[in-house]
Amino acid sequence: MQKLKEEGYQIEAVSNKGYRLLDAPDILSAEELNSIRKTKWIGSSIVYLDVTDSTNIQAKRLAEEGAPHGTLVVAGRQQSGRGRRGKAWESPAHDGIFMTLLLRPAFLPQQASMLTIVAAIAVAKAVRTALRLPATVKWPNDILLNEKKICGILTELSTEIDSINHIVIGVGINVSNQCFPDGIADIATSILLESGKNIHRASLIEAVWEQFESYYDAFCAAGDLSPLLEEYNSFLINRDRQVCILDPSHPFTGTAKGIARTGELIVETEEETRLVSSGEVSVRGIYGYV
Ligand code: ATP
């Protein structure tokens, strides 16, 4: 206790043996995550790392070593967090949630991209129910508050010819960031900046994976996203808006109508209705990020 006082923490005695820290940083640990865990299989093994390169890299390493389906890797800080197509994910210490789920599913490699949509709806629903904040989704996998990004998702796959070795789903959520670097300041925000709330990260982690489990069960039973379509489309910020599809070879604009049951964005142009796959494209609004 003396050491904590010397480190500048304010301490309040709550019994003759216990005390709690006032204004202490929200420090995560495997013990805490285990103690509040309500999921059935996600997090049956939790690996917590104070600092790591990237939770996706660690989850892939654990997968190669035989870690089981449902292993959850959580970090306090990432030194080289990544997004899709090699982009960087800004991951400052203790300000965010950085976590990756390892899956060993029985379905086919071509179904794997739909899991990004399953993860996106789970994060949006968890933010809506656990925090009562009106999260929306920018197709396929960005979660927004007030039209700015609070969460990115990176799904990576290891396959054989017609089977999946493992999938890792990385989720980065901006929790208590007060500001962002120049390049992303106009598109990024945090739960604290939008709501004024300092939330408990472990509880949000738990809420995300509880939601994921139930959507994942529905997805596996159906073999596609049909049970999730209506709700995902109701969260979709792009719905009925003009969008620019930044396809490196054929960029075009149209009106987004929702997603198909295999996860493509349905876009109506003046000539036709097109289905856009997420692989190589980014989506933007006509005038900006959405
Ligand atoms: P987009 O279509 O918006 O470019 P993406 O899905 O292709 O997103 P992601 O993998 O989700 O890309 O995220 C990487 C991008 O997100 C980066 O290029 C950067 O613009 C932005 N970014 C990086 N760190 C953060 C952060 N902490 N919060 C919000 N946005 C971030």
Side-chain angles (χ1 to χ4, degrees), residues 16 19-20 32 41 93 127 161 165 170 172 203 214 231 234 264 279:
N16 59 357
Y19 54 84
R20 73 189 165 97
E32 184 186 21
W41 53 272
V127 171
I161 292 169
N165 290 329
S203 305
S214 82
E231 195 170 23
S234 76
E264 299 87 353

Side-chain angles (χ1 to χ4, degrees), residues 23-160:
D23 294 330
D26 173 29
I27 303 292
L28 285 168
S29 66
E31 292 71 35
E32 184 186 21
L33 291 164
N34 274 314
S35 72
I36 62 166
R37 178 174 164 244
K38 295 201 278 293
T39 46
K40 293 188 290 264
W41 53 272
I42 294 178
S44 50
S45 164
I46 294 179
V47 176
Y48 176 78
L49 304 157
D50 254 329
V51 183
T52 189
D53 39 11
S54 119
T55 54
N56 270 28
I57 292 175
Q58 291 307 318
K60 286 189 278 186
R61 186 182 59 76
L62 289 165
E64 297 299 336
E65 290 170 4
H69 181 71
T71 298
L72 183 62
V73 181
V74 180
R77 176 179 172 193
Q78 294 188 117
Q79 290 173 316
S80 46
R82 286 172 309 126
R84 297 196 304 152
R85 286 164 280 147
K87 296 172 179 177
W89 184 259
E90 175 72 12
S91 312
H94 307 304
D95 275 345
I97 289 174
F98 313 112
M99 59 185 177
T100 298
L101 174 65
L102 166 62
L103 298 175
R104 296 185 182 279
F107 51 72
L108 296 169
Q110 49 272 37
Q111 291 171 286
S113 66
M114 290 185 259
L115 280 179
T116 296
I117 301 268
V118 178
I121 191 173
V123 174
K125 186 68 173 278
V127 171
R128 283 171 171 246
T129 53
L131 307 180
R132 300 189 185 285
L133 295 172
T136 53
V137 177
K138 174 175 160 290
W139 182 86
N141 61 345
D142 292 351
I143 315 305
L144 317 183
L145 279 176
N146 296 328
E147 310 212 345
K148 289 176 128 189
K149 184 162 169 177
I150 58 158
C151 168
I153 294 166
L154 175 63
T155 303
E156 295 180 281
L157 192 61
S158 158
T159 56
E160 298 295 327

